[in-house]
Amino acid sequence: MWSGRFRQRLDQAFESWQRSFPFDCRLLECELESSAVHARALARVGVLAPEELEAVLSGLEQIGERVAGDPELLNNDEAEDVHHYVEIELVRQIGDIGYKLHSGRSRNEQIATDLRLYTRAAIDEIGAALTEFIRAFVDRAEQAGDAAMPAYTHLQRAEPVVVGHWLLAYAEMLLRDRARLEDCRKRTNLCPLGTAAVAGSTLPLDREFMAQELGFAAPTANSIDATADRDFLIEFLSVLSLLAIHLSRWAEEMLLFATQEYGFLHLPEAYSTGSSAMPQKMNGDLLELVRGKSGRIIGQATALLVVTKGLPLAYNKDLQETQEAVFDAAETMVGVLPLITKWMQTVEFDLERMLQAAQSGSMNALAAATYLVRKGVPFRIAHEQVGKAVCLALDRHCELEQLKLDELEQIDGHFASDFYDFVKLENVLAIHDLPGGTAPGRVRQAIASARKKLLEEEAHAHA
Ligand code: ARG
């Protein structure tokens, strides 16, 4: 590709060590697609005659077909990178005309373009899989109806909530990830073709045409920036990192809830494993791996940040080191999402046990204080009085609502017989009645609005 200026041969070990083809062969499809568009732009400025263009286009097509038929062809130790591979193969097929394809372009713009095409496709694939995962939460929320469970703060039982409300908390955070993916797509979807090595092509190529042909929203604005910019990769892996953090937090909670100590769910056998030593065991390996893989994805995002920091403009070969981080993070996420979706669809919640837990530990204490507030007692005082009642219940080993009315009256004269209905689970849930609260009617509305958001996502989805 560049041997003219060299008097000596490359050191063989260096030669093979600096090659990127073993991993950038993943970009072959993007490379063929963007090269075909560049060829057509060349034909439009007269650098390729019509029959030469035909030869180049059919040569590019055949490269794709040959590799599809025999993926072993990618075990090639001659090509330095995917760009070199295509050139070698093209010339092998159509002769020296193949060398014309590199007129007016540079590998610097090619790799920037290929990575944008790859990232755009990965965003679309991950986005669609994420939508399915979110749908599983919304479906399970609907199925759970008005079932109740404890909500925790500080990992201590706090207040009862509707099971669907808890599930929708995950849907909500994942919908934010979905939106962040879409937003990152906007800055990814710009076309570097025509920016060449650093200063722009020396041929008057139609950049609008090339951008349009590749489905990009517009050409990139500045050739120096376009060849040096990997922000879209950093953004993409940052979005994946935050998504991975959400998946890890979810996995952790599922693992906790699957313990005998909680007993809120039964691990789906199809996605669990046993112990080679302890015959009774069933382990939530899928969840543990999801938690572990989040560390891996965050590690790749960190690698990108560190590789790109301190690089002067414009292209530097360090940028080649960004590729594997992106491939690994994207492929890891693509592998995880369909599995956790199935897990979520098949996991069995122990609604009975959740209900029992929701009704113990005086989780209606805040509702009890609200009862006094509604009788005109200032909240701080109500809090104090209910606290005393909770202490008494603890001494008696009973729940708040099992204390006798005269015991309560001794603590505060505002307690009356209507107290007992007020602190029943059903009412405790019902009084959290405002947008975003856990009152069953509000949760039903939230389910409907989450469904609507999913449909909107699908309507906007890029095919
Ligand atoms: N394989 C290279 C990369 O991934 C392609 C760009 C090479 N450009 C150059 N000027 N050597 O970054």
Side-chain angles (χ1 to χ4, degrees):
M1 272 185 301
W2 36 256
S3 57
R5 187 233 177 275
F6 281 69
R7 299 197 181 91
Q8 285 180 15
R9 293 190 69 81
L10 280 196
D11 175 88
Q12 276 222 323
F14 167 65
E15 204 279 328
S16 73
W17 173 81
Q18 58 100 43
R19 295 174 61 240
S20 54
F21 193 55
F23 51 87
D24 70 16
C25 58
R26 285 176 180 76
L27 300 175
L28 181 63
E29 226 178 280
C30 306
E31 175 72 10
L32 293 172
E33 202 188 339
S34 55
S35 289
V37 169
H38 175 74
R40 287 161 59 203
L42 285 178
R44 287 159 67 111
V45 294
V47 172
L48 287 179
E51 62 284 2
E52 290 175 331
L53 174 64
E54 280 318 305
V56 168
L57 292 180
S58 87
L60 291 172
E61 212 168 288
Q62 280 170 46
I63 296 172
E65 282 164 11
R66 281 188 58 206
V67 170
D70 181 9
E72 281 302 306
L73 289 174
L74 295 179
N75 292 328
N76 169 305
D77 47 20
E78 186 189 352
E80 181 177 313
D81 56 22
V82 66
H83 323 293
H84 191 202
Y85 177 79
V86 169
E87 184 170 279
I88 295 171
E89 290 301 310
L90 189 62
V91 170
R92 188 169 291 158
Q93 282 180 37
I94 67 172
D96 280 0
I97 295 167
Y99 287 127
K100 286 199 173 187
L101 179 59
H102 208 56
S103 316
R105 75 170 181 176
S106 157
R107 284 186 294 156
N108 297 352
E109 69 173 278
Q110 287 172 258
I111 187 61
T113 305
D114 292 354
L115 284 173
R116 283 175 185 271
L117 289 171
Y118 175 92
T119 303
R120 186 178 71 186
I123 287 173
D124 292 345
E125 185 176 1
I126 289 170
L130 180 56
T131 301
E132 286 313 305
F133 186 48
I134 301 170
R135 194 187 312 284
F137 283 89
V138 180
D139 288 345
R140 297 306 308 252
E142 193 165 85
Q143 286 161 21
D146 292 352
M149 68 183 286
Y152 297 78
T153 67
H154 311 270
L155 210 51
Q156 302 286 339
R157 285 186 190 173
E159 286 193 273
V161 291
V162 170
V163 170
H165 194 53
W166 165 68
L167 290 167
L168 285 186
Y170 285 107
E172 204 55 41
M173 64 176 99
L174 297 168
L175 280 165
R176 286 196 295 274
D177 293 320
R178 186 74 189 79
R180 267 186 288 267
L181 270 177
E182 225 32 60
D183 191 53
C184 159
R185 191 186 196 279
K186 288 184 203 140
R187 279 173 299 279
T188 301
N189 198 27
L190 298 171
C191 185
L193 286 191
T195 59
V198 63
S201 179
T202 49
L203 296 172
L205 302 174
D206 185 344
R207 297 197 61 208
E208 284 291 344
F209 164 78
M210 293 193 286
Q212 253 179 32
E213 288 299 300
L214 290 170
F216 284 118
T220 52
N222 179 297
S223 64
I224 305 174
D225 175 53
T227 48
D229 174 27
R230 296 296 183 272
D231 290 2
F232 61 102
L233 298 181
I234 295 176
E235 275 191 57
F236 176 45
L237 262 59
S238 302
V239 173
L240 291 191
S241 293
L242 190 41
L243 169 56
I245 287 173
H246 292 151
L247 299 185
S248 183
R249 292 178 70 173
W250 166 79
E252 171 64 17
E253 186 156 85
M254 296 305 113
L255 285 162
L256 276 176
F257 284 4
T259 59
Q260 283 169 30
E261 285 70 15
Y262 281 86
F264 289 173
L265 56 89
H266 304 291
L267 290 172
E269 288 193 14
Y271 301 101
S272 307
T273 60
S275 157
S276 60
M278 297 162 280
Q280 87 286 8
K281 286 208 72 187
M282 178 144 79
N283 299 326
D285 285 25
L286 178 141
L287 299 165
E288 290 169 20
L289 280 172
V290 168
R291 200 173 49 187
K293 284 187 193 292
S294 73
R296 174 170 169 165
I297 290 172
I298 294 163
Q300 302 293 20
T302 310
L304 274 194
L305 290 168
V306 183
V307 164
T308 48
K309 95 178 247 305
L311 290 185
L313 292 174
Y315 176 84
N316 296 273
K317 187 95 169 199
D318 314 44
L319 291 176
Q320 184 168 286
E321 287 297 312
T322 60
Q323 294 187 29
E324 285 162 290
V326 174
F327 299 149
D328 185 63
E331 285 166 17
T332 299
M333 192 54 87
V334 164
V336 161
L337 285 169
L339 286 171
I340 55 180
T341 301
K342 288 203 193 120
W343 191 97
M344 203 55 214
Q345 286 163 344
T346 47
V347 64
E348 204 186 303
F349 295 118
D350 193 332
L351 297 179
E352 197 49 48
R353 176 127 175 167
M354 284 171 148
L355 178 64
Q356 269 169 25
Q359 282 174 312
S360 61
S362 296
M363 271 195 295
N364 48 7
L366 176 53
T370 305
Y371 168 85
L372 291 180
V373 165
R374 291 192 184 185
K375 301 258 169 180
V377 181
F379 180 74
R380 273 289 149 249
I381 294 166
H383 184 287
E384 176 81 15
Q385 307 296 57
V386 173
K388 285 180 192 153
V390 168
C391 271
L392 184 62
L394 284 172
D395 289 344
R396 299 271 157 83
H397 299 288
C398 73
E399 294 293 325
L400 203 49
E401 68 276 16
Q402 287 165 334
L403 294 173
K404 300 207 178 64
L405 187 53
D406 61 314
E407 294 172 314
L408 289 168
E409 276 168 347
Q410 272 175 27
I411 295 172
D412 194 298
H414 293 88
F415 282 115
S417 59
D418 59 349
F419 171 75
Y420 295 96
D421 275 345
F422 194 85
V423 296
K424 278 201 178 115
L425 177 64
E426 216 169 89
N427 190 57
V428 173
L429 293 171
I431 59 175
H432 294 79
D433 187 18
L434 74 181
T438 197
R442 299 289 180 172
V443 175
R444 279 191 287 276
Q445 281 170 12
I447 290 173
S449 101
R451 280 220 188 285
K452 207 169 134 229
K453 281 187 206 164
L454 287 176
L455 289 178
E456 282 163 12
E457 283 303 341
E458 268 176 347
H460 292 144
H462 309 272

